[in-house]
Amino acid sequence: AQSVTQLDSHVSVSEGTPVLLRCNYSSSYSPSLFWYVQHPNKGLQLLLKYTSAATLVKGINGFEAEFKKSETSFHLTKPSAHMSDAAEYFCVVSGDFNKFYFGSGTKLNVKP
Amino acid sequence: GAVVSQHPSRVICKSGTSVKIECRSLDFQATTMFWYRQFPKQSLMLMATSNEGSKATYEQGVEKDKFLINHASLTLSTLTVTSAHPEDSSFYICSVGKLDNYGYTFGSGTRLTVV
């Protein structure tokens, strides 16, 4: 069975400072992992995905995530937050037949 | 990448009426589509898997008679919320069964408000 735990429901950072959004997963086999972003009243946009290639994955808008099998983690990072990064972020693991299992989400607030 | 169109983006309906939401795969023949629901301040939860030409498979706790899914063609799946009640107010979003480098496998979602 697959599941995802996002450790923080809210994260607040100042503009220009680093962002860390934490995600731990559980999977009965080698998983595919994703980070999606959802801006208010908008759909989902893929930031990046891990599919058993390089463990450090670079995505759009300066985001990256590192797959650590020993820690069953897939934390999302960005060196310098921008005001436009304020949104809700979902860590997702794919299961059988391309079903997606979403974490509970982390709301990122960026202060000026 | 796969392009998914979902319509309508917003709908307000009266309690007791039915609402149909369409999910179209514009450039990919989707034998499988997925329907998710997101309640306010909660994560997205998979509701059902829509299978072209056969019955949908529903996740545990989802009422199949209330959420009717039809996947009659390779490009269209519909979700009908029957006899809607205020507690059905939610954000519904579909996904096609294809992962690609662009990741645009999700529709833009439908905000349903039942009054």
Side-chain angles (χ1 to χ4, degrees):
Chain A
Q2 289 75 38
S3 67
V4 173
T5 302
Q6 289 183 245
L7 300 167
D8 307 294
S9 59
H10 290 82
V11 169
S12 186
V13 301
S14 297
E15 190 175 22
T17 64
V19 175
L20 170 64
L21 305 183
R22 298 182 293 167
C23 172
N24 286 95
Y25 70 92
S26 173
S27 178
S28 52
Y29 49 82
S30 295
S32 291
L33 293 158
F34 309 80
W35 276 98
Y36 279 84
V37 60
Q38 185 181 33
H39 291 275
N41 299 311
K42 296 289 182 65
L44 295 165
Q45 181 182 19
L46 178 71
L47 285 178
L48 49 82
K49 67 178 183 180
Y50 166 78
T51 54
S52 74
T55 56
L56 181 62
V57 182
K58 294 186 183 297
I60 62 172
N61 301 336
F63 285 94
E64 62 181 40
E66 186 171 7
F67 174 73
K68 291 186 176 180
K69 186 175 181 179
S70 61
E71 299 177 9
T72 60
S73 68
F74 190 57
H75 302 333
L76 181 70
T77 61
K78 183 173 181 177
S80 177
H82 191 272
M83 294 298 292
S84 61
D85 295 328
E88 187 159 21
Y89 292 79
F90 293 97
C91 183
V92 182
V93 62
S94 68
D96 295 337
F97 309 110
N98 285 338
K99 290 183 181 181
F100 277 27
Y101 297 90
F102 285 76
S104 53
T106 299
K107 287 194 175 178
L108 176 64
N109 178 45
V110 182
K111 298 174 289 186
Chain B
V3 180
V4 180
S5 173
Q6 189 171 339
H7 178 80
S9 59
R10 292 177 180 272
V11 59
I12 300 173
C13 70
K14 292 185 177 180
S15 186
T17 62
S18 295
V19 174
K20 180 184 287 187
I21 303 169
E22 294 186 347
C23 181
R24 293 182 184 274
S25 176
L26 300 183
D27 63 347
F28 173 67
Q29 293 189 322
T31 56
T32 304
M33 293 188 183
F34 302 97
W35 287 96
Y36 296 83
R37 176 172 55 185
Q38 182 182 33
F39 289 110
K41 300 182 180 181
Q42 295 186 29
S43 187
L44 287 86
M45 298 295 293
L46 178 65
M47 296 176 66
T49 302
S50 172
N51 304 299
E52 188 267 336
S54 64
K55 291 182 179 180
T57 53
Y58 291 80
E59 297 299 302
Q60 190 173 9
V62 178
E63 300 174 59
K64 61 181 67 176
D65 294 331
K66 182 169 186 60
F67 298 99
L68 300 179
I69 291 174
N70 183 280
H71 193 157
S73 78
L74 290 171
T75 59
L76 174 64
S77 174
T78 60
L79 169 68
T80 301
V81 183
T82 62
S83 187
H85 288 93
E87 56 265 32
D88 298 324
S89 298
S90 187
F91 184 71
Y92 294 86
I93 192 166
C94 69
S95 171
V96 301
K98 180 185 178 187
L99 304 173
D100 59 30
N101 290 329
Y102 300 96
Y104 295 135
T105 58
F106 287 88
S108 55
T110 298
R111 176 75 59 190
L112 170 63
T113 303
V114 184
V115 299

